[in-house]
Amino acid sequence: MCGIAGIMSAERSVNAQAVRAMTGLMAHRGPDGAGLWEGANGRLMLGHRRLAIIDPTPASAQPFVADGVTLTFNGEIYNYREIRAELTTRGHAFTTEGDAEVIIAAWRQWGEACVEFFNGMFAFALWDTDKRQLFCARDRFGEKPFLYVRGVGFFAFASEFKALLALEGVSSVIDTPRLARFLTVPADGLDRGETTLFPAIRQLPPAHAASIDLDTLTMRSTCYWSGQPAPEVRHLSAHDAANTFRDLLTDSVRLRLRSDVPLGSCLSGGLDSGAIVCLARHELGESVPYHTFSGRFPGTSADEGAYMESIAAATHPIRHDIAPKPSVLLDELAQFAWANELPVDSASQYAQYCVFRLARQNGVKVLLDGQGADEILGGYEQYFTAYLRGGGRNSPLIASRYGDALTQVQPWHAALPTGLRRLLARSLNKGSDISFGLTGDVRVERRPPPANLHEALRRDALDGFLGTLLRYGDRNSMAHSVEVRLPFTDHRLFEFAQGLPAEQLMGDGETKRLLRQAMNGILPDMVRLRWRKHGFVPPQVNWLHDGLLKAVEQVVEDPSLSALWDRRWWRSAIRRFHAGDTTQAAGLWKVLATEAWRAHFLEPAARQHKFQPLL
């Protein structure tokens, strides 16, 4: 896990000071070292910040150069040992024990198809001297960022927005309508496609690779993976499917336990993180110390302590807990906003930020986490609608376990134009839709509802909010120089689940049915058979009462409040919250978080010293 940056020019020399500044702004991503490489007679510079995880010796420092190829790489290739063994049989020799050298050898062996062999999270740029070509690639789910700018006479890339915004000519102006859409419908995300919230900055989409020609800066981009269902699993029995899935997930965990530095797991008390901790303990054995890190909310319904205890009793980890507090959040709001770079949709991301810091404070640089299981395996109760629409069998268990999952009816006013809905809401002093508190009409892309469960999962996993959740995980972990690995985003699991009948994913009123069956006898039943999903969500209403609401009031009354917000509406929302209307909590958080982002990221990024990319 690292920070990468670089600038390529068609004609002029690259300003080395600019690349140093870019990597310096990402020192948190790689505090273990920095590197700069110059090539193509000064027309190309690659920068790197190192977080040493695999082969932490100086020999593996980056940018890594071998056989006329130079690499700057962020992430991990988990199956690098298997690829290395294959390449050795094909005549390649290695001088290090790390995965960077494996990427270069794979490039020399298979060219652009090398990415198809990688099981990992990665974003990298590779310069081939002979081909005069820069090859860039990003992992299948987009766990690692690859942001870039195509300027006048240059191409620049980096792991974070702040690095690119340090370049002269790269504007910090944002796409306000897109921000408004994200605030209104977070599932549409800010991480879909090539565009970003900053029109001047683009991103390489997940599962894409790109080649940039040195002389013309022409960019050719291709998608190398589309998550096609595994055809051979369609006719597996439920028993065989569960066993096969358990083997795949176990192997995914095994690969992600490879580390030359201390590692552990996040433990929320849920099915996903609990499964990972149980499988990790089985792989490591009882004698190996294994750390878990948890966020707790004592005295509230959001606390998952009892479920954590049941998992700990079965796995005997070294436990570390933290109880995030709203007062500390306010003290750290500036650092939190600077680290995240874009507005944060939920207070749960601050709790995640605290858990990752706790790991670093205890000397653990690598964490396994359960992110991605819900979107890949059907973990949300709203998926039952798509399940039934696609022909899934109804069951009384759906209604008894998940309450309103099937009875959520759109109110009559939902079909009205936004302006009229806003007028009614303000006249009646009712409603919690955040769009009522925005100054302009928000045009939201209304995609047709998914035809079946598989389509719903594919949409959310590959083109929905999962991408935003992965960005949160990247920024919150990297803020504390911690690498987070996600066993459920192994592409083999997605292909397997997509190939199974829907009944094996959500039949008989079970969310994540496949995982529940696969973990029978491994994960305590108290967790495995828990039907209502809680999730890692702080008690946001309590937090507002404990200090956040006062901060929201100050933001709403601040003369510099963004023109995005309707001040009168939020004054009313605050009064309604004081009167006991807790439906306003999510919107009040978004006002606070978005204004904090403007004050502590957007404005500082615009004010920072700018560097000319070229000499």
Side-chain angles (χ1 to χ4, degrees):
M1 192 71 63
C2 307
I4 62 173
I7 301 176
M8 172 190 279
S9 171
E11 297 178 353
R12 296 161 57 187
S13 295
V14 171
N15 184 358
Q17 191 178 12
V19 181
R20 287 195 186 94
M22 293 166 71
T23 56
L25 285 165
M26 300 185 294
H28 51 283
R29 298 187 74 93
D32 298 334
L36 188 69
W37 178 88
E38 176 183 319
N41 296 319
R43 291 162 54 194
L44 172 65
M45 285 196 177
L46 303 179
H48 191 263
R49 292 293 314 200
R50 187 182 192 194
L51 181 63
I53 302 294
I54 301 293
D55 188 6
T57 65
S60 287
Q62 295 183 46
F64 192 91
V65 183
D67 301 324
V69 178
T70 305
L71 172 74
T72 184
F73 163 48
N74 172 23
E76 301 288 353
I77 306 300
Y78 302 124
N79 63 334
Y80 73 99
R81 293 179 185 170
E82 289 78 6
I83 296 174
R84 176 183 170 132
E86 169 66 21
L87 291 168
T88 299
T89 67
R90 295 171 179 261
H92 294 267
F94 296 87
T95 61
T96 70
E97 298 299 321
D99 50 356
E101 190 176 12
V102 171
I103 293 175
I104 290 178
W107 163 261
R108 295 187 65 83
Q109 180 66 43
W110 296 301
E112 296 184 7
C114 66
V115 291
E116 299 174 23
F117 293 82
F118 300 154
N119 184 336
M121 55 175 181
F122 55 85
F124 66 78
L126 177 154
W127 168 252
D128 190 311
T129 302
D130 293 337
K131 296 182 179 180
R132 296 172 62 82
Q133 177 187 28
L134 187 71
F135 179 70
C136 311
R138 192 175 179 203
D139 65 75
R140 291 170 177 83
F141 286 93
E143 293 180 56
K144 294 296 103 188
F146 191 97
L147 304 167
Y148 67 90
V149 168
R150 300 182 72 180
V152 178
F154 74 92
F155 172 87
F157 67 88
S159 297
E160 296 192 357
F161 288 105
K162 57 177 69 75
L164 291 171
L165 291 172
L167 297 179
E168 191 69 49
V170 180
S171 172
S172 59
V173 171
I174 66 165
D175 182 343
T176 302
R178 186 169 188 180
L179 173 59
R181 289 194 298 274
F182 170 71
L183 294 171
T184 305
V185 186
D188 279 348
L190 293 174
D191 301 86
R192 293 173 54 195
E194 296 182 1
T195 58
T196 74
L197 189 60
F198 299 91
I201 300 174
R202 302 182 73 80
Q203 61 190 350
L204 190 63
H208 276 66
S211 295
I212 301 95
D213 180 83
L214 174 66
D215 298 315
T216 65
L217 298 185
T218 302
M219 183 176 182
R220 174 177 53 84
S221 178
T222 58
C223 178
Y224 65 85
W225 180 79
S226 58
Q228 293 303 306
E232 67 276 9
V233 308
R234 183 72 186 174
H235 301 293
L236 288 177
S237 67
H239 179 267
D240 289 343
N243 288 341
T244 304
F245 180 80
R246 182 176 60 248
D247 291 343
L248 283 173
L249 181 58
T250 299
D251 190 59
S252 178
V253 170
R254 177 186 67 84
L255 292 176
R256 285 157 179 78
L257 287 172
R258 290 175 170 172
S259 174
D260 292 327
V261 297
L263 81 169
S265 279
C266 297
L267 179 60
S268 69
L271 179 61
D272 312 331
S273 65
I276 290 170
V277 171
C278 289
L279 292 175
R281 169 53 74 200
H282 181 267
E283 287 297 304
L284 294 171
E286 286 289 338
S287 62
V288 177
Y290 195 68
H291 299 256
T292 61
F293 299 88
S294 305
R296 299 284 306 276
F297 309 105
T300 74
S301 61
D303 190 64
E304 298 279 273
Y307 299 98
M308 297 174 190
E309 292 291 348
S310 69
I311 297 168
T315 58
H316 314 107
I318 302 170
R319 290 194 58 194
H320 308 269
D321 294 350
I322 189 170
K325 293 180 171 54
S327 59
V328 182
L329 165 59
L330 291 174
D331 290 340
E332 298 181 338
L333 198 53
Q335 303 97 292
F336 178 62
W338 178 254
N340 269 277
E341 299 200 299
L342 294 177
V344 173
D345 178 65
S346 165
S348 63
Q349 304 313 323
Y350 175 69
Q352 183 189 66
Y353 177 89
C354 293
V355 170
F356 292 155
R357 176 171 53 197
L358 181 66
R360 187 62 180 193
Q361 290 171 341
N362 285 274
V364 173
K365 292 175 72 173
V366 179
L367 286 177
L368 274 63
D369 194 17
Q371 192 69 65
D374 291 318
E375 295 80 5
I376 291 170
L377 300 175
Y380 300 124
E381 60 192 69
Q382 58 263 35
Y383 287 141
F384 281 118
T385 302
Y387 164 76
L388 293 174
R389 186 181 296 121
R393 290 199 304 269
N394 203 345
S395 165
L397 292 175
I398 298 176
S400 65
R401 289 173 176 168
Y402 297 106
D404 332 348
L406 302 180
T407 59
Q408 295 176 358
V409 179
Q410 288 279 66
W412 62 269
H413 53 75
L416 296 176
T418 303
L420 183 55
R421 293 180 65 227
R422 182 186 292 115
L423 180 62
L424 283 171
R426 291 173 179 171
S427 300
L428 300 173
N429 201 30
K430 292 183 178 181
S432 59
D433 190 328
I434 194 172
S435 67
F436 299 154
L438 300 176
T439 54
D441 288 345
V442 181
R443 298 192 177 187
V444 177
E445 176 188 350
R446 297 293 182 183
R447 295 190 280 182
N452 53 57
L453 176 62
H454 289 94
E455 183 181 332
L457 298 178
R458 170 176 289 274
R459 180 183 294 183
D460 283 359
L462 304 185
D463 193 29
F465 196 53
L466 178 58
T468 299
L469 295 176
L470 295 177
R471 170 169 51 79
Y472 290 149
D474 172 78
R475 301 306 198 275
N476 286 326
S477 61
M478 287 287 90
H480 307 296
S481 307
V482 171
E483 175 173 297
V484 175
R485 300 174 174 180
L486 309 177
F488 286 106
T489 58
D490 189 309
H491 63 281
R492 298 173 299 172
L493 303 186
F494 180 81
E495 294 166 355
F496 186 85
Q498 284 284 304
L500 291 175
E503 286 298 319
Q504 295 188 21
L505 299 178
M506 295 192 79
D508 289 337
E510 295 184 60
T511 57
K512 286 184 285 200
R513 186 185 196 190
L514 180 65
L515 180 60
R516 295 180 193 276
Q517 294 183 348
M519 295 306 296
N520 188 17
I522 299 174
L523 182 66
D525 281 352
M526 178 181 180
V527 176
R528 189 179 70 88
L529 300 180
R530 181 187 182 191
W531 305 121
R532 291 307 299 263
K533 178 179 176 59
H534 182 275
F536 185 42
V537 181
Q540 205 156 261
V541 171
N542 298 41
W543 280 20
L544 283 163
H545 284 304
D546 291 344
L548 292 192
L549 187 60
K550 183 177 180 180
V552 176
E553 291 172 336
Q554 292 172 345
V555 164
V556 169
E557 296 305 326
D558 193 311
S560 65
L561 179 70
S562 167
L564 178 73
W565 307 109
D566 184 307
R567 197 188 306 266
R568 290 176 57 191
W569 171 263
W570 293 109
R571 284 172 174 165
S572 172
I574 290 169
R575 289 194 298 269
R576 290 166 60 189
F577 185 85
H578 277 300
D581 184 356
T582 59
T583 64
Q584 304 305 306
L588 295 171
W589 162 263
K590 290 184 182 184
V591 173
L592 176 63
T594 305
E595 290 303 289
W597 165 71
R598 287 183 176 275
H600 303 302
F601 179 79
L602 204 56
E603 292 177 10
R607 292 194 306 264
Q608 69 184 347
H609 180 73
K610 299 281 189 173
F611 294 85
Q612 291 289 347
L614 306 178
L615 296 175

